[in-house]
Amino acid sequence: MAWPRMFICMVVALLVTCCNWILTDPATGAGVAETTALQGKDQGRTVFRAPLLNNPPTLDPAQVKDIYGVTVIQQLYDGLVKFDADLFVTPALAESWQVEDGGRTYRFSLRKNALFHNGRRVDSKDVLFSLKRLLRVDPPPTILPYLLKIEGAKDFHEHKAEEVSGLQAVDDRTFLIRLSEPYVPLIIALGMYQAKVVPKEIVESDPTSFGMEPIGSGPFKFVSWEQNKTIRLQGFPDYFEGKPRLDEIEFAIFPGISIDEVWTDFQSGKLDQMQVYGKNYERLKGNKDLQWVRRPSLSLQFYGFNCKHPLLANRDLRLALSRAIDRERLVAEAYSGQFQAAGGILSPGLPGYMPRGSRAGVNITKAEEVVEKALGAEGPGTSIQIEIVSNSQSLLAQAELEFVRKSWERLGIDLQIKYIPDWAQFEERLRSDSLQIYRYAWFADIPDADDILRPLFSSQSQFNYMRYENEEVDRMLQEALAIVDPVERAAVYQKIEQTILEACPLIPLIHISVDYVYQPNVQGIEANALGVHTMPLNRIWLKGSSER
């Protein structure tokens, strides 16, 4: 995601407009399963319809930075490897690979039957082009630190060389990656969405157009994109794993996270899936007719401080604000108990994760003293005005922010909440010097602690909107990448996390679970902890549709 890259994704709530779940089409009286089966077939064709809560800027895997683009990209492209439902690395375009030279060389054998959507066979030159391209993408992608372990990659990235000595297309079906030193996470990183393989000549001829009319080798091929309305894909009959069971996928775009419309369309059977949060979750969870997906995700929702802001440069004030939020109560009252309160940065399932207390209501008296000291000459009885910006204005976001506003009110903080639903404008605000606090969520793209810690806290990261800088943390992040022993590596990540938490550049709030609901006739759902947006849809099928 992850997103991000990162995958980047704001937590949203589904607005419930009635107390009872509607299982019939008001117009026809047909059951939801019957209605969906009818609407999911266009003249005998099975169509799976899913919502996108924003319009992605591009569908070029090297350029995309939002969860909405990743959702589509996962269907259009394949990389050398991919993750299964249990997050094990499995073959994709590479049918097999060997590790040689004590872990310094990876030899990949490409499939004979892997084709791009234009009919051309995928070969090792496409892999070479795709990986080299990532080394010079601007701004740098989150996969870059992993790729810099390849022999000669750093010199190529810095324009000191025109070739990467550690990347070699031996023949059409054999591709070699040589590392400067043994590096276990490489094979995991190659499963990231940014490492998808693209056709060399198509991208080189017009990189901008490629992002709007992409060609990949995945199970579905691009058909059309009506900006802010729909993206349509069609099953690729020559896909190496076999023709998908769906004829088409239609992504319905709801710009600005229009949750009310998603809810309405799902009720009427116009959508086959829907994300579920808040009170909607409570109202639907007992419905056994629906298909449910609930899994923990490798994620963190948090409030980030602009550590360079004159007021919030005070670490003690940041810590006081963090300690004033009772996470357990927040989860119970704002999220209906759906998520896990976060006491740290790393989520369960990541190397280095340590169960921590959620820092709920810790030493409120001390927090009050710190805030009073920050007021300085203004004296008791006055208040500090602080602004927080949020991309989401959903009911869930509003409930959460109102809880925090009241929590800080007793410390003498006058919290001003500003909603910026346009993502481009929101990102612009995150980069501005006037930023004070922002509401954000991060989903890991791979099951590795580095994919959360580096993007958010490295002094060189484009996503470090906290302006957090620590030379020791930067050094340890680099050190961890070279450690082969998993226990030793996890210990370094624990130390990094502890160092960051002591500086308090953020307030960890919750670890988000994956909660989706599907219409009764949807079959073959395979979600993993990286999120539903990474799920392959070529195994999905609609019960009651004609079998081929």
Side-chain angles (χ1 to χ4, degrees), residues 25 98 149 176 236 257 280 285 342 348-349 421 444 481 505 530 543:
D25 184 335
Q98 295 176 316
K149 291 293 182 180
L176 255 62
F236 182 42
I257 315 179
N280 209 17
K285 68 179 183 181
L481 289 178
L530 294 178
K543 189 176 180 180

Side-chain angles (χ1 to χ4, degrees), residues 356-427:
R356 301 172 184 267
S358 60
R359 299 171 179 260
V362 177
N363 202 345
I364 293 299
T365 302
K366 177 64 176 177
E368 291 172 339
E369 292 174 359
V370 170
V371 173
E372 185 175 335
K373 184 178 179 180
L375 286 169
E378 297 183 26
T382 59
S383 63
I384 299 176
Q385 189 174 92
I386 294 179
E387 181 186 79
I388 186 168
V389 293
S390 171
N391 173 249
S392 175
Q393 199 172 354
S394 67
L395 292 182
L396 189 65
Q398 292 180 46
E400 170 204 295
L401 289 163
E402 178 60 18
F403 180 94
V404 173
R405 187 191 66 76
K406 290 180 178 178
S407 299
W408 288 354
E409 190 175 47
R410 57 181 171 170
L411 301 181
I413 301 297
D414 177 16
L415 182 62
Q416 302 292 305
I417 303 168
K418 183 176 181 62
Y419 297 103
I420 308 178
D422 182 88
W423 186 258
Q425 293 178 17
F426 180 67
E427 283 194 314

Side-chain angles (χ1 to χ4, degrees), residues 262-529:
V262 175
W263 166 256
T264 300
D265 284 357
F266 185 77
Q267 284 188 106
S268 64
K270 293 179 181 178
L271 293 173
D272 293 302
Q273 74 174 35
M274 180 181 72
Q275 203 166 8
V276 184
Y277 289 127
K279 297 184 183 301
N280 209 17
Y281 170 80
E282 287 297 317
R283 289 170 172 140
L284 294 179
K285 68 179 183 181
N287 192 318
K288 297 180 180 179
D289 292 328
L290 301 174
Q291 304 292 319
W292 283 86
V293 170
R294 177 171 173 80
R295 297 194 68 163
S297 70
L298 307 180
S299 64
L300 175 70
Q301 183 177 315
F302 63 93
Y303 292 165
F305 294 108
N306 177 1
C307 298
K308 300 295 185 183
H309 190 278
L311 176 62
L312 295 168
N314 184 331
R315 177 261 185 190
D316 291 337
L317 176 60
R318 300 196 302 264
L319 187 60
L321 294 177
S322 178
R323 288 177 170 174
I325 300 175
D326 187 330
R327 272 69 146 184
E328 300 294 343
R329 280 189 56 207
L330 171 66
V331 168
E333 295 181 16
Y335 301 121
S336 302
Q338 185 177 356
F339 304 126
Q340 178 179 337
I345 300 165
L346 299 178
S347 57
L350 286 174
Y353 168 74
M354 288 181 60
R356 301 172 184 267
S358 60
R359 299 171 179 260
V362 177
N363 202 345
I364 293 299
T365 302
K366 177 64 176 177
E368 291 172 339
E369 292 174 359
V370 170
V371 173
E372 185 175 335
K373 184 178 179 180
L375 286 169
E378 297 183 26
T382 59
S383 63
I384 299 176
Q385 189 174 92
I386 294 179
E387 181 186 79
I388 186 168
V389 293
S390 171
N391 173 249
S392 175
Q393 199 172 354
S394 67
L395 292 182
L396 189 65
Q398 292 180 46
E400 170 204 295
L401 289 163
E402 178 60 18
F403 180 94
V404 173
R405 187 191 66 76
K406 290 180 178 178
S407 299
W408 288 354
E409 190 175 47
R410 57 181 171 170
L411 301 181
I413 301 297
D414 177 16
L415 182 62
Q416 302 292 305
I417 303 168
K418 183 176 181 62
Y419 297 103
I420 308 178
D422 182 88
W423 186 258
Q425 293 178 17
F426 180 67
E427 283 194 314
E428 183 179 350
R429 186 56 175 271
L430 297 185
R431 298 186 186 97
S432 70
D433 293 338
S434 62
L435 176 73
Q436 291 185 310
I437 306 176
Y438 63 101
R439 180 179 184 267
Y440 212 70
W442 188 267
F443 288 77
D445 288 322
I446 57 175
D448 193 277
D450 184 81
D451 202 43
I452 285 185
L453 295 175
R454 181 180 300 277
L456 294 179
F457 304 104
S458 166
S459 61
Q460 302 300 314
S461 173
Q462 61 177 309
F463 300 111
N464 183 356
Y465 301 118
M466 291 167 264
R467 285 77 163 172
Y468 173 75
E469 295 180 3
N470 187 309
E471 292 183 0
E472 178 66 8
V473 167
D474 287 344
R475 184 193 64 77
M476 287 190 290
L477 284 171
Q478 286 302 113
E479 174 188 322
L481 289 178
I483 297 174
V484 175
D485 181 82
V487 176
E488 183 183 352
R489 192 163 182 253
V492 174
Y493 285 131
Q494 289 172 354
K495 185 176 180 181
I496 293 171
E497 181 185 37
Q498 184 59 39
T499 302
I500 295 168
L501 289 174
E502 288 173 359
C504 197
L506 82 166
I507 301 176
L509 286 180
I510 58 172
H511 299 301
I512 305 165
S513 60
V514 174
D515 290 280
Y516 271 76
V517 63
Y518 292 79
Q519 300 287 9
N521 63 330
V522 178
Q523 306 292 312
I525 303 165
E526 295 182 3
N528 62 46

